[in-house]
C-alpha cells in the first residue's frame, strides 16, 4: 500500500460487530517537526492514530516450544508451494540446516508447529546434519507427499533470520546468508557461550511471512475530550489542522488535512462523538440529582487571561458546567459526582449576565466568544470552537435561568430608580415589580408575558421594555443595579 505523504484521503466507513468505524489517511506532527503520514481510526469512544509497519504475524493456536528439544512434525506437501519453507546453512558452512522462511497459508505454516530458526535434524528418519545445503534441498524435494521432520530450535539464529525477513526481499544467496549469520554478533556470542544447542527458545512467530499491519501509535478517549483548531493557549487558528486531547492526558498531536472538506468532516465526526459521550456522562451524573439541581450543559471553553491589563495575552482551557442554579468553571472535567464540588469558580446563574460578544467587539482573532459577568467579580471572557457550541451554551443558559427562577420562586434585587432606593422583584407567579421607599410601595408591575426586550450598558444600567395590554404601546423602565 502506497501512502500519499502530502494529501489526506477521503474518509472510509465500515461496520464491524455493529460498531461504526471511520478511517482515513492524515498527516500528524508535534507542531515542530515534519508531519508523518498516519491512519486516523475513529470509533464512538476512541480516536486512534496508526502507522503501517512490517510485522511477523503470530499463530494463536499453538505457542512456540518451551525448551530446546527435538520435535517431530508431519507435513503434507501441497501441489502449489511444496512444503512451504526455505532453508539456509549446511555442512560446508559448519552450520545446521535452518528454516529461514515459512510461507503464509502453505504446508509448513498450516502445521502450526514449525518456526524460523528451527534446525532440521532428520527427514523421514534420515539424518541430514552432515549434509551440504544442496543435498539437503534435494532430500526435502524428494521426500514424498507426507514428510516427517525432526527439528530442534536454535535460538541464536532466530533474530538474524527474522531480520532478513523484515527486509522484505527475495531469498538471498545461501553462501552470503551463512557468512552474514556467522558474522552476526548475537549468533557468535551464543556460540562462544555454548548456548546455541541448549538454550530455552521462544521464537517470535510460527508463520514467518512478513505482513504489513496497522499498528496503534496513540489512542485518545473521546469522553469529555478537548478538540481544538487553535495553537494551544493562543488566538492563532491553525488553517488546516486540529488536535484532540483526552482527559487522561493523551494527545493526538497536530493532525493536518490539506483538504478543508475532509478537515471539516473529521472535526464534525469527532465533535459529534465527544458531545454524544459527554451527554451520556451528564445523564449518569443527573441520576443523583433532583429536577432543579440537574446539569444542563457540560463542555470545554477557553478563557482569555489578562496580563497587566494590556491585552488578552493567553487562553486557558476551562470545563464549563451549568447545573441547577449555578454556573461552574473547572480546570479539568470532574470524573465523578464528588468532583463537582471542586470547581475553580462558581456563580449563581440568576446573579450572572451572559452576553454573546459580537464579531466587531472581539478583542483578538478568537471567534465565538461570550462574557460572564457576576456581581462583585471581574468579567470572564470565554470562547468556544464553533458557532453550534455557542448556541448550545446559550440555549442551556436560558434553560438554567428558567430552572433558577422556578426554584427561587421570588428574588428581589436592590436598585436605584430616579435617584431613589428601591427593589426590583422577579416573581415566578406575578412577574416584574418595582417598589420604593420604606413601605415598599409598588411603582410599576408587569407580567413576564409583557416583556418584549431588555438591554444594558454592560455595567449597571438596566432597561426593560414592556408592552401595555390595552394601548399595545412599548414602555421602557430604567433602573441602576
Amino acid at each position: 500500500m502506497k501512502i500519499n505523504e502530502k494529501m489526506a484521503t477521503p474518509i472510509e466507513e465500515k461496520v464491524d460487530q455493529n460498531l461504526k468505524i471511520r478511517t482515513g489517511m492524515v498527516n500528524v506532527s508535534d507542531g515542530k517537526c515534519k508531519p508523518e503520514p498516519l491512519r486516523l481510526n475513529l470509533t464512538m469512544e476512541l480516536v486512534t492514530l496508526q502507522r503501517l509497519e512490517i510485522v511477523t504475524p503470530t499463530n494463536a493456536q499453538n505457542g512456540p516450544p518451551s525448551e530446546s528439544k527435538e520435535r517431530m512434525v508431519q507435513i503434507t506437501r501441497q501441489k502449489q508451494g511444496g512444503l512451504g519453507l526455505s532453508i539456509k546453512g549446511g555442512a560446508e558452512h559448519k552450520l545446521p540446516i535452518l528454516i529461514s522462511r515459512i510461507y503464509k497459508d502453505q504446508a509448513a505454516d498450516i502445521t502450526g508447529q514449525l518456526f524460523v530458526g528451527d534446525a532440521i535434524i532428520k527427514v523421514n528418519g534420515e539424518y541430514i546434519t552432515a549434509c551440504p545445503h544442496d543435498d539437503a534441498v534435494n532430500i526435502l524435494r524428494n521426500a514424498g507427499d507426507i514428510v516427517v521432520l525432526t527439528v530442534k530450535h536454535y535460538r541464536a539464529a532466530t533474530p538474524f533470520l527474522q531480520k532478513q525477513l523484515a527486509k522484505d526481499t527475495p531469498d538471498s544467496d545461501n553462501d552470503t546468508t551463512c557468512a552474514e549469520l556467522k558474522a552476526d554478533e548475537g549468533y557468535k556470542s551464543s556460540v562462544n557461550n555454548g548456548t546455541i544447542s541448549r538454550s530455552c527458545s521462544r521464537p517470535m512467530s510460527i508463520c514467518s511471512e512478513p505482513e504489513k499491519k496497522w499498528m496503534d501509535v496513540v489512542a485518545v478517549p473521546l469522553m469529555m475530550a478537548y478538540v481544538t483548531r487553535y495553537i494551544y493557549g493562543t488566538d492563532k487558528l491553525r488553517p488546516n489542522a486540529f488536535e484532540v486531547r483526552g482527559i487522561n492526558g493523551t494527545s493526538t498531536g497536530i493532525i493536518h488535512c490539506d483538504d478543508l472538506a475532509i478537515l471539516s468532516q473529521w472535526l464534525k465526526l469527532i465533535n459529534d462523538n465527544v458531545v454524544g459521550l459527554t451527554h451520556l456522562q451528564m445523564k449518569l451524573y443527573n441520576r443523583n440529582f433532583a429536577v432543579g439541581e440537574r446539569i444542563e450543559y457540560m463542555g470545554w471553553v477557553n478563557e482569555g487571561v489578562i496580563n497587566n491589563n494590556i491585552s488578552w495575552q493567553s487562553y486557558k482551557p476551562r470545563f464549563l458546567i451549568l447545573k441547577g442554579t449555578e454556573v461552574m468553571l473547572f480546570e479539568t472535567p470532574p470524573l465523578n459526582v464528588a468532583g463537582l464540588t471542586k470547581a475553580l469558580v462558581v456563580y449563581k446563574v440568576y446573579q450572572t449576565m451572559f452576553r454573546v460578544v459580537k464579531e466587531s467587539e472581539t478583542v483578538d482573532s478568537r471567534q465565538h466568544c461570550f462574557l460572564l459577568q457576576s456581581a462583585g467579580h471581574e468579567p470572564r471572557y470565554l470562547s468556544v470552537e464553533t458557532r453550534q457550541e455557542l448556541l448550545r451554551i446559550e440555549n442551556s443558559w436560558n434553560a438554567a435561568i428558567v430552572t433558577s427562577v422556578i426554584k427561587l420562586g421570588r428574588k428581589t434585587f436592590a436598585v436605584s430608580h430616579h435617584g431613589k432606593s428601591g427593589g426590583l422583584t422577579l416573581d415566578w407567579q406575578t412577574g416584574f415589580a418595582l417598589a420604593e421607599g420604606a413601605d415598599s410601595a409598588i411603582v410599576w408591575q408587569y407580567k413576564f408575558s409583557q416583556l418584549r426586550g431588555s438591554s444594558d450598558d454592560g455595567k449597571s444600567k438596566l432597561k426593560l421594555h414592556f408592552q401595555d395590554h390595552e394601548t399595545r404601546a412599548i414602555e421602557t423602565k430604567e433602573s441602576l443595579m
Side-chain angles (χ1 to χ4, degrees):
M1 177 179 180
K2 185 176 180 181
I3 296 175
N4 190 322
E5 296 188 5
K6 294 184 179 180
M7 296 184 65
T9 60
I11 299 172
E12 298 179 359
E13 182 178 305
K14 67 177 182 179
V15 177
D16 184 11
Q17 297 180 350
N18 296 323
L19 295 176
K20 192 173 290 185
I21 301 173
R22 297 179 173 93
T23 59
M25 292 303 300
V26 294
N27 290 298
V28 183
S29 74
D30 61 359
K32 300 176 183 178
C33 301
K34 181 180 177 181
E36 173 189 4
L38 297 176
R39 185 171 78 164
L40 195 157
N41 185 293
L42 176 66
T43 63
M44 183 61 191
E45 297 182 344
L46 285 173
V47 57
T48 306
L49 293 171
Q50 300 172 321
R51 182 185 291 116
L52 191 61
E53 296 181 357
I54 297 175
V55 297
T56 305
T58 59
N59 188 319
Q61 293 180 351
N62 297 293
S66 59
E67 59 185 21
S68 186
K69 62 182 180 181
E70 292 185 4
R71 305 168 348 253
M72 295 181 65
V73 181
Q74 179 176 297
I75 307 177
T76 302
R77 189 187 301 273
Q78 296 177 333
K79 291 182 179 179
Q80 298 292 330
L83 297 179
L85 56 81
S86 293
I87 61 171
K88 299 290 185 184
E92 72 269 38
H93 300 290
K94 297 182 180 179
L95 289 172
I97 300 298
L98 296 165
I99 296 177
S100 61
R101 184 183 289 264
I102 295 175
Y103 294 91
K104 184 175 175 60
D105 296 327
Q106 294 188 25
D109 178 30
I110 291 171
T111 69
Q113 301 177 58
L114 292 172
F115 302 80
V116 168
D118 278 349
I120 301 175
I121 299 169
K122 299 177 186 178
V123 178
N124 292 335
E126 178 184 351
Y127 279 97
I128 63 168
T129 51
C131 289
H133 176 268
D134 290 347
D135 289 351
V137 170
N138 289 329
I139 291 170
L140 288 167
R141 189 172 289 158
N142 300 301
D145 292 336
I146 304 297
V147 182
V148 177
L149 299 181
T150 302
V151 298
K152 185 177 183 179
H153 191 73
Y154 277 63
R155 180 182 182 184
T158 304
F160 176 84
L161 293 172
Q162 288 177 330
K163 194 189 307 179
Q164 295 290 306
L165 288 173
K167 294 179 181 178
D168 200 23
T169 57
D171 284 342
S172 57
D173 175 73
N174 182 58
D175 291 346
T176 302
T177 301
C178 290
E180 292 175 348
L181 174 56
K182 292 174 75 173
D184 182 74
E185 291 299 323
Y187 182 82
K188 287 195 297 183
S189 174
S190 295
V191 172
N192 293 337
N193 292 334
T195 60
I196 190 165
S197 62
R198 298 190 297 272
S199 61
C200 174
S201 170
R202 295 192 64 84
M204 291 176 61
S205 73
I206 294 170
C207 172
S208 62
E209 186 70 10
E211 287 183 344
K212 290 183 177 180
K213 185 176 180 182
W214 291 107
M215 305 298 291
D216 292 353
V217 176
V218 64
V220 179
L222 293 178
M223 173 67 75
M224 297 188 285
Y226 170 62
V227 184
T228 182
R229 287 187 62 190
Y230 288 93
I231 297 174
Y232 191 80
T234 75
D235 65 330
K236 308 304 179 187
L237 187 72
R238 301 184 192 273
N240 62 343
F242 65 96
E243 178 185 8
V244 183
R245 296 189 176 206
I247 58 174
N248 62 350
T250 56
S251 169
T252 58
I254 312 304
I255 300 174
H256 301 261
C257 294
D258 55 315
D259 188 314
L260 289 179
I262 296 176
L263 175 73
S264 298
Q265 192 177 359
W266 274 126
L267 281 169
K268 183 180 184 307
L269 291 171
I270 293 171
N271 274 312
D272 285 350
N273 287 8
V274 171
V275 170
L277 289 168
T278 303
H279 185 71
L280 287 175
Q281 188 64 39
M282 190 170 73
K283 290 177 68 175
L284 289 175
Y285 287 164
N286 281 340
R287 291 179 180 180
N288 300 278
F289 306 118
V291 174
E293 294 294 330
R294 289 177 181 169
I295 299 171
E296 292 285 348
Y297 174 87
M298 295 198 312
W300 285 100
V301 299
N302 272 272
E303 181 178 10
V305 180
I306 299 177
N307 287 337
N308 299 323
N309 295 320
I310 298 174
S311 65
W312 304 96
Q313 298 293 321
S314 62
Y315 283 83
K316 290 186 177 180
R318 303 291 191 209
F319 197 76
L320 186 145
I321 292 181
L322 283 168
K323 178 183 176 297
T325 62
E326 296 177 332
V327 54
M328 299 177 280
L329 289 173
F330 297 79
E331 289 187 336
T332 58
L335 300 180
N336 48 46
V337 174
L340 292 169
T341 62
K342 300 177 182 178
L344 187 69
V345 174
V346 181
Y347 296 146
K348 293 295 183 183
V349 170
Y350 55 82
Q351 293 178 340
T352 305
M353 180 188 71
F354 172 91
R355 184 168 72 86
V356 175
V357 178
K358 298 177 182 178
E359 289 187 16
S360 59
E361 298 174 338
T362 55
V363 298
D364 52 30
S365 298
R366 282 264 179 178
Q367 300 175 322
H368 317 304
C369 302
F370 63 97
L371 279 170
L372 290 182
Q373 186 169 5
S374 188
H377 300 278
E378 289 292 326
R380 291 186 175 266
Y381 188 87
L382 305 163
S383 77
V384 289
E385 295 285 326
T386 65
R387 174 65 180 167
Q388 290 75 16
E389 193 66 15
L390 183 58
L391 288 173
R392 285 184 64 232
I393 294 176
E394 189 172 16
N395 290 336
S396 298
W397 185 272
N398 292 334
I401 288 291
V402 172
T403 298
S404 298
V405 172
I406 293 174
K407 184 176 181 180
L408 285 171
R410 179 185 178 91
K411 178 71 176 178
T412 300
F413 300 90
V415 297
S416 174
H417 181 251
H418 294 164
K420 298 180 181 179
S421 297
L424 176 62
T425 298
L426 277 70
D427 189 293
W428 179 245
Q429 300 296 329
T430 60
F432 297 88
L434 179 72
E436 287 182 355
D439 57 351
S440 298
I442 300 296
V443 179
W444 51 257
Q445 187 170 6
Y446 295 92
K447 295 180 179 179
F448 284 116
S449 60
Q450 292 178 267
L451 182 67
R452 290 293 177 266
S454 63
S455 59
D456 61 85
D457 63 355
K459 296 178 181 179
S460 59
K461 186 179 291 185
L462 173 67
K463 291 183 179 181
L464 299 174
H465 310 287
F466 300 101
Q467 186 176 50
D468 187 277
H469 281 318
E470 296 180 358
T471 65
R472 313 301 292 175
I474 299 297
E475 299 178 356
T476 298
K477 302 300 180 180
E478 183 176 309
S479 300
L480 293 176
M481 305 295 287

